[in-house]
Amino acid sequence: MNWITNYVRPKINSMLGRPDRDVPENLWIKCPETGEMVFHRDLEENKWVIPASGYHMKMPAKARLKDLFDDGVFESLQQPKVAQDPLKFRDSKKYIDRLKDSRIKTDLEDTILAGVGKVRGVKLVAVVHEFSFMGGSLGIAAGEAIIKAFERAIAEKCPLVMFPASGGARMQEGILSLMQLPRTTVAVEMLKEAGLPYIVVLTNPTTGGVTASYAMLGDIHLAEPGAEICFAGKRVIEQTIREKLPEGFQTSEYLLEHGMVDMVVKRHDIPATLARLLKILMKKPAASAPVVEKTAAVAIAAQ
């Protein structure tokens, strides 16, 4: 319990006769690397990247799609209807109640948000994990949403870009969650058979079953700086092999050095980089240079 927030402030407000207004608790965000406190609006304006250190914080799915597409304009893909709690799972809390809490927290139906739009003039389908929704875990709803996004990309004859951020398979759905790994893998193959590019932008964290399936099957893999990308976590591996792992193990930069990632790209540069790569993959002309009308003097000089 926060004594000041839960007791002192309401007591003072009641004494002064003013209502206890809802004040966001995350007005200031602490940089995990330097400990610097950053005002939340400054962080949002800088795409959730700490201005001084360059540390890439987790970016909400809605904000990422809005930032990715030209002028923030895109068509949201509808979340498919699936079984909500097929196993009637319960631990310390009912699974159905966890879903309700996450939906209230994120204003999303599940962890996947997908949209169709243009990035620097290139039409594409983008699929984003919302890590705040049960750790971006992959369940039936997420798997179905991903497959529908691939089907839409094939129908539109456009590439698909994936932004994974997940702790892996959703344990509350057991084997039904694991079934989404081969299902999404088949969807990736369908896109490739249609001759359409598939690019993955790995964000922090990308782990577990998501890494073991569609997250590592792209034609090109980009990664944000400092992102954790792995199947099993560093601590689990160290406890298993009883050895100390190298510094920076499982980060974007480490994977780039060892050939598992093609590029490490800062968040501000991702839209332009994606557009450039997709134009190459789809054999589209690059943006032409502005045409400058020749004056009489330039024409004479050219002669």
Side-chain angles (χ1 to χ4, degrees), residues 15 69 98 103 113 129 158 180 285 288 297:
M15 289 172 62
F69 289 113
R98 292 188 186 279
R103 284 169 183 157
L113 189 63
H129 279 250
C158 68
Q180 308 313 309
S288 56

Side-chain angles (χ1 to χ4, degrees), residues 111-183:
T111 186
I112 292 296
L113 189 63
V116 184
K118 291 185 177 180
V119 178
R120 303 295 194 269
V122 180
K123 187 175 184 180
L124 59 83
V125 174
V127 181
V128 184
H129 279 250
E130 175 55 74
F131 191 79
S132 296
F133 195 107
M134 296 189 71
S137 52
L138 178 65
I140 300 173
E144 195 65 26
I146 291 169
I147 291 167
K148 293 297 182 186
F150 274 98
E151 290 176 349
R152 180 63 181 271
I154 294 168
E156 297 280 350
K157 294 183 172 60
C158 68
L160 186 142
V161 178
M162 177 73 66
F163 292 84
S166 176
R170 189 171 296 175
M171 69 172 209
Q172 290 89 347
E173 295 184 14
I175 190 65
L176 299 175
S177 174
L178 295 177
M179 286 171 60
Q180 308 313 309
L181 277 64
R183 293 184 73 226

Side-chain angles (χ1 to χ4, degrees), residues 27-184:
L27 283 176
W28 293 89
I29 291 97
K30 186 177 181 180
C31 174
E33 282 190 345
T34 64
E36 175 192 5
M37 300 300 292
V38 182
F39 189 52
H40 75 107
R41 286 182 183 172
D42 294 336
L43 189 63
E44 290 175 15
E45 289 174 1
N46 201 41
K47 303 184 181 184
W48 277 265
V49 178
I50 303 292
S53 66
Y55 184 88
H56 284 52
M57 304 287 288
K58 293 179 181 67
M59 189 176 189
K62 290 181 180 178
R64 190 179 286 279
L65 284 182
K66 190 174 180 181
D67 175 70
L68 176 68
F69 289 113
D70 297 343
D71 301 318
V73 177
F74 63 94
E75 175 195 347
S76 292
L77 301 189
Q78 210 168 22
Q79 177 71 45
K81 298 296 181 183
V82 298
Q84 294 298 303
D85 186 9
L87 302 181
K88 306 299 179 186
F89 191 93
R90 178 170 185 167
D91 46 83
S92 60
K93 192 174 185 179
K94 289 182 180 179
Y95 175 43
I96 196 72
D97 292 335
R98 292 188 186 279
L99 288 173
K100 289 177 183 177
D101 292 344
S102 292
R103 284 169 183 157
I104 293 170
K105 179 182 177 182
T106 62
D107 195 28
L108 294 175
E109 280 298 305
D110 209 272
T111 186
I112 292 296
L113 189 63
V116 184
K118 291 185 177 180
V119 178
R120 303 295 194 269
V122 180
K123 187 175 184 180
L124 59 83
V125 174
V127 181
V128 184
H129 279 250
E130 175 55 74
F131 191 79
S132 296
F133 195 107
M134 296 189 71
S137 52
L138 178 65
I140 300 173
E144 195 65 26
I146 291 169
I147 291 167
K148 293 297 182 186
F150 274 98
E151 290 176 349
R152 180 63 181 271
I154 294 168
E156 297 280 350
K157 294 183 172 60
C158 68
L160 186 142
V161 178
M162 177 73 66
F163 292 84
S166 176
R170 189 171 296 175
M171 69 172 209
Q172 290 89 347
E173 295 184 14
I175 190 65
L176 299 175
S177 174
L178 295 177
M179 286 171 60
Q180 308 313 309
L181 277 64
R183 293 184 73 226
T184 51

